[in-house]
Amino acid sequence: MTNNKPVKIMETVLRDGHQSLAATRMRITDMIPMLEQLDGVGFHALEAWGGATFDSCLRFLDEDPWERLRTLKKYLKKTPIQMLLRGQNVLGYNHYADDVVREFVNRAVDNGVSNIRIFDALNDVRNLEVAMKASKAAGAHVQGAFVYTISPYHNQESFLKVAKDLVELGADSICIKDMSGLLAPYAAYDLVKALKAEISIPIQLHTHYTSGMASMTYLKAIEAGVDIVDCALSPFALGTSQPATEAIIATLEGTPRDTGIKKEELYPIADHFRAVKKQLAGDFNLNTAIDIDTKVLSFQIPGGMLSNLLNQMKEQGMADKYPELLEEMPRVRAELGYPPLVTPTSQITGSMAAFNVMLGRYKIIPREIKDLVRGKYGRTPAPIDPEFREMVVGNEPVITHRPADDIAPQMDSLRQELAEKGYPNASTEDVLSYAVFPDVALSFFSKHR
């Protein structure tokens, strides 16, 4: 390893760590006692907002996500706060108008976010353009992410093309987002080498331990020159989360890529979060001991999704059809143009496969499937067979332009709606909460506004 520069670490315990292992139930009160210590460690960034935390704050924790962000910023004076943003989907499951996306980014930055990682479920960069430009204009560090997956239509060349498009759009760094733990160690080495050869901005790697390969993947990526890796403190690491921060630090000690972080400083912080995990498991009746699931390597289905689908089959009294479901899933994914299985495409593909197995193939076709096939989410990685498309949507027009071009500005009408519902003086933050999760936000406002 001749690279003689320290590997930087983004710590995920405040977001993806508990999203992966504790159903995103960590409360701000669980975080506050350790924020100053975390701030002093020397992490590249602390991922603490976005993803599912926004929904979870409002829906389950009776917390205002914007208030959480302001509190985090009050304690984190040195280390940048990073968030995860789903491009034109913001933090929801549908596309929003450009004015909502811009306003959301502005409010996030004003309330304390420094780094914004932006991705699109289909790797359609047209869905990232507005969010990336708005983040740049707001003064944030813009991280363009591409979603890593495996299919006949995904290869090093296709990922490199998306990465170059992200650079064109003004990315300050690139993230390889491997949400299912599919990136194998030697493939990671080759991919990082290829990116480093053609792209001059920093490369960050995000993976999950789901398949059991993540630490090996990080080591090979580090050998290939990756700049930053996402890790979680040990109590919220492994399983379906990230590699353990302390272990990655220890691995690199005394090498040319030593992180420079003292693992001993993390032990008391980890002890605190170990107690938090135990408390969350009790308070919310959670199973936080999530095993790795090597099946993901064959089915390309994230582990959490497999257990959700099995539960759905059990509820319908069809658990015996689960093996059929595992075979149906890749078939449906191929028919839908090989979308990467990440929110929201994983849910859309999974429920379609479940319907097919329970009721017969395409006897029921949910609206979301029609939208995906019509191009309403963006361009699928593989073209969709015209005959299949006709069966699903008939002669409905196909969308070949950027989907959000069809969405008129929404901020004014959302303000108006909120006023009619009894909140005439709603802050911009509240309007945005309502935009992304209307019912959940209204129920929160009824108690707190």
Side-chain angles (χ1 to χ4, degrees), residues 175-192:
C175 173
I176 306 166
K177 181 176 165 56
D178 174 28
M179 65 286 163
S180 305
L182 293 173
L183 182 58
Y186 288 95
Y189 183 90
D190 293 343
L191 180 57
V192 171

Side-chain angles (χ1 to χ4, degrees), residues 28-91:
I28 188 68
T29 48
D30 300 318
M31 303 174 186
I32 288 172
M34 286 298 131
L35 291 178
E36 284 167 1
Q37 282 95 313
L38 283 168
D39 197 27
V41 169
F43 290 122
H44 168 73
L46 282 159
E47 193 198 30
W49 210 64
T53 63
F54 197 93
D55 185 6
S56 185
C57 278
L58 291 167
R59 193 184 299 267
F60 302 117
L61 305 178
D62 202 33
E63 261 186 62
D64 182 339
W66 300 99
E67 193 51 50
R68 171 181 289 198
L69 177 54
R70 289 189 285 272
T71 304
L72 288 163
K73 187 62 188 167
K74 197 169 79 188
Y75 289 95
L76 301 172
K77 295 181 167 45
K78 294 185 285 199
T79 313
I81 294 173
Q82 180 150 330
M83 78 166 289
L84 180 66
L85 188 76
R86 299 191 197 119
Q88 208 68 31
N89 287 8
V90 187
L91 296 174

Side-chain angles (χ1 to χ4, degrees), residues 189-211:
Y189 183 90
D190 293 343
L191 180 57
V192 171
K193 269 281 190 227
L195 288 167
K196 292 301 282 182
E198 307 236 2
I199 286 170
S200 57
I201 58 177
I203 309 293
Q204 185 157 351
L205 176 54
H206 169 92
T207 189
H208 287 255
Y209 228 98
T210 316
S211 66

Side-chain angles (χ1 to χ4, degrees), residues 3 5-8 176 192 196 203-205 218 220-229 257:
N3 206 337
K5 59 174 199 168
V7 171
K8 295 173 180 171
I176 306 166
V192 171
K196 292 301 282 182
I203 309 293
Q204 185 157 351
L205 176 54
Y218 275 5
K220 291 307 291 181
I222 287 164
E223 287 177 7
V226 84
D227 298 279
I228 312 149
V229 290
R257 306 225 53 201

Side-chain angles (χ1 to χ4, degrees), residues 4 33 65 69 85 91 121 131 225 308 335 359-360 387 391 420 423-424:
N4 216 349
L69 177 54
L85 188 76
L91 296 174
N308 282 345
E335 286 162 339
L359 308 166
E387 276 180 34
M391 179 196 76
E420 285 161 14
Y423 304 101

